[in-house]
Amino acid sequence: MATPDAEEDVLARYRSPLVSRYASAEMGFNFSERKKFGTWRRLWLYLAQAEKSLGLPITDEQIQEMEANLDNIDFKMAAEEEKKLRHDVMAHVHTFAHCCPKAAAIIHLGATSCYVGDNTDLIVLRDGFNLLLPKLARVISRLADFAEKYADLPTLGFTHYQPAQLTTVGKRCCLWIQDLCMDLQNLERARDDLRFRGVKGTTGTQASFLQLFEGDHSKVEELDRLVTAKAGFKRAYMVTGQTYSRKVDIGVLSVLASLGASIHKICTDIRLLANLKEIEEPFEKDQIGSSAMPYKRNPMRSERCCSLARHLMTLVLDPLQTASVQWFERTLDDSANRRVCLAEAFLTADIILSTLQNISEGLVVYPKVIERRIQQELPFMATENIIMAMVKAGGNRQDCHERIRVLSQQAAAVVKQEGGDNDFIARVRADPYFSPIHKQLESLLDPSSFTGRAPQQVAKFLKEEVRPALIPYQSKMGGTIELAL
C-alpha cells in the first residue's frame, strides 16, 4: 500500500488517541507546541524585563518588540532551524530574534536551555493541576449528590465478593468519595509544593548572572525573585543542577497514579454492580453494547476508565527511573522520556475524570433488584435477631439455636442443590416452636434495621468533610459533560 504524504493527510500519521479521541481541548492545549513555545517567549521577556530593572543595558524598545511578538511564532522556520542546529532552544532563540531584530542581542541573555525548558515544564504542570482539580471536584460533587439521595437504601454488602452484612447504596458511594477526597488533597498539595526553577544558569551556580551583574550577589538573588514572581510562583528551588530535581516529577506522577488507582476501584465496583443488575452507568438510547448480542448493555465507560487508569498507574515508573540515573548536575536521557510521560499522565487523568463525571451524572439504580438480592441473603443474617426475640419471649437460647441451625441448613440445600429461593423464613413460620414471635418476623426482617449507622455516617461525612472541601471549586461546579466517543 502506498504511503500518503503525511503533510497532506493528517490521517496518514499516528496520532495519540489521548488527544485525537479522548482528552479535553484545554488539556490538549496545555501540552501543545503553541503553549510550550509561547511560554518560552514569555520567559525570555520576563528575564529581559527583570535584567533591565536591575540595571543591564536593555531598552524599552527591545522590551516592547518582544512583547509584540510573543505569539508571532513561525513554526516552519523553527523546525528548519532545529533540523540545522540540532538544538530546539537555540532554534527558537533564532526564530524569536528573526521577528525581534532590535531585541535579538539580549534574548536568552545569561540563560541556559533549562531556563526555558524546565521553567516551562513547571508552569505546564501547575496549569495541568489547575485543570484537573475542578474536574475532580465536580466528580466528587456528583457522587455526593448520589450518596445523599441513596443514603437510606439498604443493599447487600460484600467482603471477599461474598455476601456480608447490609450497608446502603449511599454509604458504599461514600467509600468512593473518601478516596477521591484524598486525591483532591494530594493534587492540591502537589500543585502547591511546586516551585519555580528560576534563574540558575548552566549548572545551577548562577555564575553567568553573577558575571552579568559584576559580582553583585544581591542583584542575582533579586533577578531570581523577580522572574519567579512574574511566572506566578511564590518560591523557587534554592538549589538546582542544570535542571530542577527530577524527584519533583516523581511526586507529580505519584499523585496522578494514586488518582488512577481510586478511579479503577470505583469503576470496577460499578462494573461488578452492572453484572448484578443493581446499578448501571448511563446507556444512550442508540448505543450498541455488542455487534453480535443486541441485548447487551456493556459498561464501556467504566471499562474505559479502568483501561486508561492502568496506563496512568504505570507512568510513575518513568520518573522513578529517570531520577535515579541523573548523573551529577544532569544527563540528557531524561528529556525524551519526560516529553512522553508527563504529558500522557495529565492527558490520561483528564480523560478518566471527564469519563467518571459522565458516569456519575447518569448512574441508574434498580431498587427492586437490590431488594430481591437482600431477600435471598437476609434470612440467614436475621438468625441472631430471631434467637434474641425467642429468648425475650421465654425460649431457651440453645434449643432455639439448634432449631435454627437445622432449618437454615435445609434452606441452604434448597438454594444450592435445587436452585430455589431461600425459604428459611417460610420454615420458621411453619414451625410451631417459633409461634411466640411469628408476628414479629416482619419487623425482625426489616432491611433498614441491619444497616446500622450507615445513613447517619453518610450525612455527617458529606456535611463535615466533603462539602467543605468543594467550596474552593464552587464557581466551577456547573454543567454536565457529554463524551465525544
Side-chain angles (χ1 to χ4, degrees), residues 249-255 257 311-321 341:
D249 296 341
I250 296 174
V252 169
L253 265 65
S254 290
V255 298
H311 177 59
L312 178 55
M313 287 186 281
T314 64
L315 287 173
V316 72
L317 295 175
D318 277 342
L320 280 167
Q321 296 181 70
C341 71

Side-chain angles (χ1 to χ4, degrees), residues 88 322 326 330-340:
D88 57 350
T322 295
Q326 287 301 287
R330 81 86 55 101
T331 59
L332 194 60
D333 62 345
D334 64 336
S335 179
N337 185 286
R338 293 175 71 252
R339 289 176 190 265
V340 177

Side-chain angles (χ1 to χ4, degrees), residues 81-276:
E81 288 288 324
E82 185 173 354
K83 187 175 182 180
K84 179 174 63 176
L85 301 173
R86 310 298 296 177
H87 197 289
D88 57 350
V89 173
M90 286 309 299
H92 277 270
V93 168
H94 288 186
T95 303
F96 197 17
H98 180 74
C99 59
C100 297
K102 296 174 183 177
I106 55 92
I107 293 172
H108 199 66
L109 181 60
T112 185
S113 297
C114 285
Y115 167 69
V116 289
D118 271 32
N119 283 326
T120 292
D121 286 345
L122 290 161
I123 289 170
V124 167
L125 295 179
R126 177 197 64 194
D127 293 351
F129 279 128
N130 285 335
L131 290 172
L132 292 179
L133 282 162
K135 292 192 173 191
L136 177 53
R138 283 197 293 270
V139 170
I140 293 171
S141 175
R142 305 307 189 265
L143 289 175
D145 292 342
F146 179 86
E148 190 170 48
K149 181 177 179 180
Y150 293 103
D152 300 323
L153 182 61
T155 190
L156 183 64
F158 291 94
T159 59
H160 315 275
Y161 201 38
Q162 301 299 313
Q165 290 293 318
L166 300 191
T167 182
T168 70
V169 171
K171 171 63 190 301
R172 175 179 285 150
C173 183
C174 284
L175 299 179
W176 306 339
I177 295 170
Q178 180 167 250
D179 287 351
L180 294 176
C181 284
M182 293 180 190
D183 293 314
L184 188 73
Q185 293 175 341
N186 289 340
L187 264 65
E188 289 174 337
R189 184 178 64 251
R191 177 199 59 190
D192 296 343
D193 283 349
L194 286 175
R195 300 190 193 184
F196 204 50
R197 177 189 176 272
V199 182
K200 297 297 194 297
T202 54
T203 58
T205 65
Q206 298 177 304
S208 58
F209 297 105
L210 191 62
Q211 184 176 2
L212 279 174
F213 290 104
E214 299 179 347
D216 191 329
H217 290 268
S218 63
K219 284 191 174 182
V220 176
E221 289 185 1
E222 182 64 6
L223 177 70
D224 205 359
R225 189 196 68 78
L226 286 172
V227 175
T228 297
K230 286 177 180 291
F233 285 81
K234 296 179 180 179
R235 297 181 299 169
Y237 295 108
M238 293 185 69
V239 294
T240 72
Q242 189 171 87
T243 69
Y244 67 79
S245 171
R246 294 310 184 217
K247 282 186 72 68
V248 174
D249 296 341
I250 296 174
V252 169
L253 265 65
S254 290
V255 298
L256 296 181
S258 182
L259 171 66
S262 299
I263 294 179
H264 198 295
K265 182 266 191 294
I266 292 167
C267 290
T268 299
D269 283 357
I270 293 172
R271 291 165 66 188
L272 292 170
L273 290 167
N275 173 261
L276 297 176

Side-chain angles (χ1 to χ4, degrees), residues 409 411-420:
Q409 293 293 337
V414 170
V415 173
K416 295 179 179 179
Q417 298 174 19
E418 301 176 19

